[in-house]
């Protein structure tokens, strides 16, 4: 049973540190889907097009078409471009990304790029509004959540923050990101399946999501058979009805 079906996309939203990126890229592996981290777009745009306190909207508009025309190249470029930054740079880029995410045109451009790239299916998109705004028609839509303390612990471990001051920075950064994303996640929470990852390992969360993917795909499969069966019964009944009346 192939999961790579026309139009089959998976979206995963959640606050910072809930595990979207680590889990999303694992989820993408088994059905051989392409992973897209929506937050990376904001970061890439912020670092490339927000120079000397000026947002280069024209450049961004041109870039949109370039990226749509050559999506597999640019998805890799965005991923690797940011991997090369050190943690201080990443922190600053994150702050600029948060600023540009308040500009509606930039949000629309990013959403449009992702919608166009994913239109044939085969993608796992993670972010904060992937389930509600970007791909509300995705076949599997999930929200990850985790306690605030768990998320601080995970982020501090990830950044190797051990000193009181460093942990304080993690705390305030996470709080700010939560406040920035509050509306988006609140909106998403209304409609989707929520998984609390606080007491689950990455593997356990991935397994749950893949089970859900299989279930959705399996119900498609059964539904198709059910429809064929009903059609068959209908045609057969018509056939016997008309042969009896002749
Ligand atoms: N279920 C889990 N159990 C233990 N550690 C986890 C779990 N999920 C994620 N982590 C760890 O927590 C850290 C943060 O996870 P990740 O970067 O995937 O979160 P995120 O939701 O994508 O955050 P952001 O939105 O800030 O990018 C990573 O180091 C990751 O390995
Ligand atoms: N759907 C999204 C995704 C991201 N942002 C903003 C919020 C963050 O400040 C920034 C970077 O995201 P991250 O890499 O931390 O996931 O981009 C957003 O507003 N909407």
């Amino acid at each position: 049973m192939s999961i790579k079906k026309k139009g089959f996309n998976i979206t995963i939203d959640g606050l910072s540190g809930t595990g979207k990126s680590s889990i999303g890229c694992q989820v993408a592996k088994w059905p051989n889907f392409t992973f897209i981290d929506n937050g990376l777009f904001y970061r890439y745009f912020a670092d490339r097009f927000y120079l000397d306190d000026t947002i280069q909207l024209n450049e961004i508009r041109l870039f949109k078409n370039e990226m749509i025309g050559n999506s597999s190249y640019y998805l890799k470029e965005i991923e690797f471009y940011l991997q090369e930054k050190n943690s201080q740079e990443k922190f600053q880029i994150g702050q600029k990304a948060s600023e540009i995410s308040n500009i509606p045109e930039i949000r629309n451009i990013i959403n449009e790029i992702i919608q166009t790239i994913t239109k044939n299916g085969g993608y796992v998109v993670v972010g904060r509004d992937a389930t509600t705004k970007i791909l509300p028609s995705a076949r599997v839509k999930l929200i990850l959540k985790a306690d605030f303390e768990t998320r601080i612990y995970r982020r501090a471990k990830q950044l190797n923050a051990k000193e009181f001051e460093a942990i304080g920075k993690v705390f305030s950064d996470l709080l700010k990101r939560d406040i920035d994303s509050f509306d988006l996640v609140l909106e998403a929470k209304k409609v989707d399946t929520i998984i609390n990852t606080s007491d689950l390992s990455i593997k356990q969360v991935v397994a749950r999501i893949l089970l859900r993917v299989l279930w959705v795909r399996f119900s498609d499969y059964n539904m198709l058979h059910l429809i064929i069966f009903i059609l068959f019964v209908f045609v057969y009944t018509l056939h016997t009805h008309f042969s009896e009346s002749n």
Side-chain angles (χ1 to χ4, degrees):
M1 182 172 61
S2 164
I3 293 293
K4 214 164 189 179
K5 191 194 161 215
K6 207 172 183 317
F8 197 113
N9 287 314
I10 302 167
T11 54
I12 307 174
D13 283 336
L15 291 172
S16 196
T18 49
K20 303 179 298 288
S21 317
S22 351
I23 286 156
C25 68
Q26 297 284 332
V27 167
K29 275 187 188 154
W30 170 67
N32 198 19
F33 277 21
T34 303
F35 172 64
I36 294 184
D37 185 344
N38 183 208
L40 288 186
F41 281 61
Y42 287 90
R43 288 170 182 266
Y44 182 80
F45 278 34
D47 199 45
R48 220 187 120 174
F49 302 115
Y50 187 14
L51 306 168
D52 304 324
D53 288 332
T54 313
I55 296 161
Q56 303 169 331
L57 267 174
N58 271 336
E59 302 287 321
I60 292 181
R61 289 179 195 125
L62 289 173
F63 179 76
K64 179 182 90 176
N65 299 328
E66 202 177 315
M67 174 147 192
I68 288 175
N70 200 354
S71 62
S72 34
Y73 169 80
Y74 278 107
L75 286 177
K76 286 199 180 73
E77 150 80 6
I78 287 181
E79 197 186 331
F80 293 127
Y81 180 84
L82 291 154
Q83 267 173 14
E84 280 165 12
K85 306 284 172 188
N86 64 37
S87 25
Q88 174 69 16
E89 286 169 330
K90 279 184 184 159
F91 187 77
Q92 282 163 355
I93 295 171
Q95 286 180 323
K96 279 165 86 180
S98 167
E99 278 180 53
I100 68 157
S101 72
N102 293 318
I103 301 168
E105 185 173 354
I106 294 188
R107 296 202 79 82
N108 290 339
I109 288 178
I110 291 180
N111 293 358
E112 200 185 322
I113 294 175
I114 297 178
Q115 283 158 352
T116 313
I117 293 177
T118 58
K119 68 175 185 299
N120 291 328
Y123 288 83
V124 175
V125 183
V126 309
R128 286 163 178 77
D129 55 355
T131 62
T132 50
K133 298 244 162 49
I134 309 179
L135 295 176
S137 61
R139 292 303 315 282
V140 176
K141 301 191 285 183
L142 299 140
I143 299 294
L144 299 184
K145 70 173 197 177
D147 309 334
F148 191 64
E149 311 89 81
T150 308
R151 292 188 290 122
I152 291 193
Y153 173 77
R154 286 177 185 167
R155 183 64 75 223
K157 201 170 155 202
Q158 186 182 34
L159 298 172
N160 204 16
K162 292 190 183 111
E163 312 297 322
F164 186 72
E165 203 187 326
I167 294 173
K169 219 170 161 189
V170 168
F171 181 95
S172 53
D173 181 49
L174 209 63
L175 197 60
K176 187 180 175 306
R177 279 159 183 262
D178 279 12
I179 294 165
D180 282 349
S181 316
F182 193 70
D183 285 350
L184 297 173
V185 176
L186 207 64
E187 190 59 32
K189 269 186 179 169
K190 289 182 200 159
V191 286
D192 297 295
T193 311
I194 301 170
I195 301 178
N196 189 337
T197 72
S198 305
D199 299 318
L200 299 173
S201 68
I202 293 182
K203 271 191 181 159
Q204 285 172 317
V205 183
V206 172
R208 279 191 190 197
I209 296 177
L210 288 178
L211 265 179
R212 172 111 193 103
V213 172
L214 265 178
W215 172 250
V216 171
R217 186 65 189 95
F218 186 65
S219 28
D220 280 351
Y221 198 67
N222 275 348
M223 195 56 82
L224 184 71
H225 280 81
L226 192 67
I227 291 168
I228 293 172
F229 179 72
I230 292 169
L231 273 176
F232 177 77
V233 172
F234 181 68
V235 171
Y236 182 76
T237 317
L238 278 183
H239 178 74
T240 41
H241 175 77
F242 284 112
S243 12
E244 271 166 20
S245 55
N246 284 334

